[in-house]
């Protein structure tokens, strides 16, 4: 056993390891240690009960649920489902609140932050957060939850007195989903593999799509660091991870245990 521990290698490059370790330490300073005692959110009926059919109302309900898990005030969140994602906030009448009876109040403040990708866009003006979600996400619950988690993690970064928004803020927000308990969901959604059969070939073709910026090894190591910070060298929730991130998590835990014993 000792031989295995002392030959364990980190699943990511040194600069990636240092970046993840440093950011996770900053998350503790900014958001507190209580998040390390919070449950790890899993894609199960325990955390997401009720029927889901992929309607826009279901998607709004998913936003409210994720808000609750990530400590975001849902009454601040407004959503819309455009056919194409852009950073244009559009007319106020096109937006609807996901919870409560709040109104989108106009503001002249320069306190505005934006982010966008193919699945979503985010804009913060004043205290409101305006989130656009690609309506096709409704047919892919895991991708929907991961997208919402990433956007709301960004909201956590740009909200509050201690906010700091850097050039790599979207990357930091994605890592923050791990610290806030959504790492299993965002890691599983990071890469999606599919197979299509070619009429002229028995082999067919494999294709992969990527959601987000963190690689699977980075997710695996981040989850390993997170598990060790929680005092869970053998986390039960690891069984809910896809095979690749789970393998990288195990490798990361072995590496971190080696470091602890050296």
């Amino acid at each position: 056993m000792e031989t295995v521990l002392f030959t364990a290698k980190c699943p990511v490059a040194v600069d990636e390891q240092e970046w993840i370790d440093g950011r996770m330490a900053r998350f503790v300073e900014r958001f507190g240690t209580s998040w390390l005692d919070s449950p790890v959110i899993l894609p199960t009926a325990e955390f997401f009960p009720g029927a889901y059919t992929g309607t826009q109302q279901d998607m709004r309900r998913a936003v409210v649920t994720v808000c609750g898990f990530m400590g975001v005030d849902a009454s601040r969140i407004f959503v819309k489902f455009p056919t194409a994602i852009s950073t244009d906030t559009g007319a106020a009448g096109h937006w609807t609140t996901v919870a409560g009876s709040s109104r989108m109040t106009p503001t002249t403040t320069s306190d505005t932050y934006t982010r966008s990708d193919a699945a979503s866009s985010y804009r913060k003006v004043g205290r409101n957060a305006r989130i656009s979600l690609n309506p096709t996400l409704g047919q892919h619950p895991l991708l929907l939850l991961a997208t919402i988690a990433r956007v709301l993690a960004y909201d956590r970064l740009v909200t509050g007195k201690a906010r700091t928004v850097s050039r790599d803020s979207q990357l930091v927000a994605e890592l923050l989903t791990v610290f806030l308990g959504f790492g299993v969901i965002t890691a599983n959604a990071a890469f999606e593999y599919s197979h299509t059969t070619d009429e002229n070939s028995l082999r067919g073709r494999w294709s992969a799509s990527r959601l987000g910026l963190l690689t699977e090894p980075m997710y695996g190591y981040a989850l390993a660091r997170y598990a060790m910070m929680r005092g869970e060298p053998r986390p039960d929730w690891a069984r809910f991870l896809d095979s690749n991130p789970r393998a990288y998590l195990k490798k990361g835990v072995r590496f971190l245990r080696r470091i602890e014993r050296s």
Side-chain angles (χ1 to χ4, degrees):
M1 184 65 177
E2 292 297 324
T3 301
V4 173
L5 286 173
F6 278 91
T7 57
K9 296 181 179 180
C10 187
V12 296
V14 173
D15 59 336
E16 293 173 335
Q17 176 207 340
E18 293 177 346
W19 180 82
I20 291 171
D21 289 346
R23 287 295 178 177
M24 293 293 275
R26 292 185 189 180
F27 292 158
V28 172
E29 294 175 359
R30 176 167 175 182
F31 300 103
T33 58
S34 61
W35 283 102
L36 297 176
D37 299 321
S38 300
V40 177
I41 309 304
L42 303 173
T44 64
E46 176 186 356
F47 294 95
F48 301 97
Y52 178 86
T53 60
T55 65
Q56 290 186 6
Q57 186 58 38
D58 287 340
M59 295 173 73
R60 290 188 182 91
R61 189 171 68 249
V63 173
V64 174
T65 300
V66 178
C67 280
F69 289 137
M70 299 187 76
V72 174
D73 179 4
S75 69
R76 296 175 40 250
I77 306 300
F78 293 78
V79 297
K80 70 176 179 179
F81 306 95
T83 55
I85 298 298
S86 73
T87 57
D88 182 10
T89 59
H94 294 166
W95 298 86
T96 57
T97 181
V98 294
S101 58
S102 58
R103 296 182 300 170
M104 183 174 291
T105 55
T107 178
T108 58
T109 179
S110 60
D111 184 17
T112 302
Y113 304 93
T114 62
R115 65 167 297 281
S116 64
D117 53 38
S120 65
S121 72
Y122 171 97
R123 181 160 185 158
K124 180 175 183 291
V125 181
R127 69 179 302 274
N128 293 326
R130 308 176 187 183
I131 299 172
S132 296
L133 295 173
N134 191 317
T136 62
L137 288 171
Q139 305 308 312
H140 306 277
L142 180 66
L143 296 182
L144 172 65
L145 293 175
T147 299
I148 295 170
R150 290 168 57 231
V151 173
L152 293 181
Y154 186 84
D155 181 76
R156 291 299 310 266
L157 286 178
V158 302
T159 300
K161 295 180 180 179
R163 64 174 175 271
T164 54
V165 184
S166 60
R167 292 180 180 177
D168 64 344
S169 57
Q170 291 188 220
L171 193 63
V172 176
E174 196 168 340
L175 181 62
L176 181 57
T177 65
V178 176
F179 182 78
L180 297 181
F182 264 82
V184 170
I185 290 175
T186 51
N188 285 349
F191 283 83
E192 186 177 65
Y193 298 92
S194 61
H195 182 267
T196 56
T197 302
D198 189 334
E199 293 180 357
N200 301 318
S201 172
L202 295 177
R203 297 178 62 183
R205 295 184 303 170
W206 284 96
S207 61
S209 59
R210 180 173 179 177
L211 177 70
L213 301 173
L214 295 184
T215 64
E216 286 185 317
M218 291 175 74
Y219 263 117
Y221 180 72
L223 286 163
R225 169 58 71 184
Y226 173 68
M228 296 298 285
M229 291 168 70
R230 289 167 59 92
E232 296 179 309
R234 295 182 178 85
D236 291 339
W237 43 264
R239 61 193 174 93
F240 290 92
L241 284 167
D242 289 346
S243 57
N244 282 353
R246 183 170 67 248
Y248 291 124
L249 179 149
K250 291 180 178 179
K251 188 174 183 180
V253 168
R254 289 196 297 269
F255 170 76
L256 291 171
R257 290 182 65 195
R258 188 201 78 180
I259 296 299
E260 286 185 353
R261 297 189 181 193
S262 62

